Amino acid sequence: MEADTRVSISHYEGKRTADDATELFKDIERKRDPDSQIPLFISDDWDPFEEALLSVYGKAQKPPYKGRGRKPNPVLVPGEDLKYAQVCKKREKGSIVGMVKRIVFGDLEDILSILGADADGRINTSYAERLNLTVRNSLARFIRKTMNFSKKRSVHIKIVDFLQAWYNFAKPHISLRVLEIDGKRKWKQRTPLMAKGITDHIWKLGELLMFRVPIQ
């Protein structure tokens, strides 16, 4: 998701593997404007994300040959424009006792500049965690240890697709509201895609269901 606008950009239903994580980042890259910069990525300390980011955004580089044995194969290295930070939970005896922020790719000052943060930094995953809570509260099939779990993958994918559309087009976020002064002070509620500038109003559920997607 995009932190500033709360837009849910992409999701991928799969296992917790590097290959599935790669598919997620490939989808993000397909949606990115080629003229725009690679976004700053922030996640928890799940190692497959690092491998997947290199698969999608890395550049092949040949290690120097030392003159003995077989020449080394090219390896993927992060480009200068790839920036990735992790928020790692520090645990003791099964309990979280602290948080450690780690820069995986990129420069700390550049990352803080993008975030608009001060020297202490605001590297966190709170927006994504809040989205996870919204998903669990909105879909019974995401509640653990109940009879409501998804029985078919194809149906599950369609339901999550619809949830993403509802979240972006029809669900106002109090953190996105703006103050309007038109004779009197009032708050204008906005959805993520209103904050992004893609639509100018909160969509009704019927409007969302009846919208005809253009053929691509």
Side-chain angles (χ1 to χ4, degrees):
M1 71 176 300
E2 186 178 58
D4 292 344
T5 62
R6 313 294 192 270
V7 172
S8 174
I9 300 173
S10 181
H11 65 270
Y12 181 80
E13 293 76 26
K15 298 180 180 180
R16 292 177 64 84
T17 66
D19 289 339
D20 289 312
T22 299
E23 291 302 318
L24 172 67
F25 291 123
K26 283 182 178 178
D27 186 57
I28 293 175
E29 182 61 14
R30 282 192 292 268
K31 296 174 180 177
R32 183 175 70 91
D33 185 342
D35 295 330
S36 66
Q37 297 216 349
I38 296 174
L40 161 65
F41 294 97
I42 300 177
S43 75
D44 56 13
D45 55 340
W46 188 42
D47 292 337
F49 275 152
E50 181 177 342
E51 182 180 341
L53 281 170
L54 280 178
S55 297
V56 177
Y57 296 102
K59 300 177 180 179
Q61 186 179 88
K62 267 196 170 185
Y65 179 53
K66 297 182 179 179
R68 295 183 62 185
R70 183 180 299 174
K71 290 185 178 181
N73 294 324
V75 296
L76 288 174
V77 297
E80 294 181 358
D81 49 355
L82 178 59
K83 299 174 177 60
Y84 173 44
Q86 287 182 341
V87 178
C88 308
K89 296 175 181 177
K90 186 178 179 181
R91 300 176 185 270
E92 288 183 7
K93 297 181 180 180
S95 300
I96 299 175
V97 296
M99 306 293 286
V100 178
K101 299 169 184 179
R102 182 168 77 96
I103 306 301
V104 182
F105 303 133
D107 180 75
L108 175 61
E109 292 185 2
D110 292 341
I111 290 175
L112 294 181
S113 176
I114 293 173
L115 292 172
D118 53 21
D120 292 334
R122 290 203 301 263
I123 299 173
N124 63 71
T125 58
S126 58
Y127 295 133
E129 296 295 346
R130 185 60 182 83
L131 175 58
N132 289 340
L133 177 61
T134 298
V135 171
R136 292 190 183 280
N137 286 339
S138 303
L139 283 183
R141 64 187 61 225
F142 277 95
I143 301 175
R144 295 169 177 163
K145 298 181 180 180
T146 70
M147 296 177 61
N148 301 315
F149 65 90
S150 297
K151 281 72 173 179
K152 292 184 178 180
R153 177 184 172 86
S154 58
V155 175
H156 181 81
I157 292 174
K158 291 178 181 178
I159 290 293
V160 178
D161 285 342
F162 177 73
L163 176 70
Q164 183 182 24
W166 166 81
Y167 177 88
N168 284 331
F169 282 94
K171 186 180 187 305
H173 290 250
I174 191 171
S175 60
L176 298 177
R177 65 180 184 173
V178 292
L179 183 63
E180 290 186 334
I181 302 178
D182 185 13
K184 61 179 180 179
R185 292 164 57 92
K186 62 179 180 179
W187 290 99
K188 178 182 179 181
Q189 302 297 327
R190 297 192 303 169
T191 63
L193 288 184
M194 289 176 67
K196 187 70 174 174
I198 292 177
T199 185
D200 59 358
H201 66 284
I202 300 173
W203 287 37
K204 302 290 187 183
L205 191 59
E207 183 181 6
L208 184 62
L209 291 170
M210 298 299 290
F211 180 75
R212 300 184 67 177
V213 180
I215 298 176
Q216 297 181 354

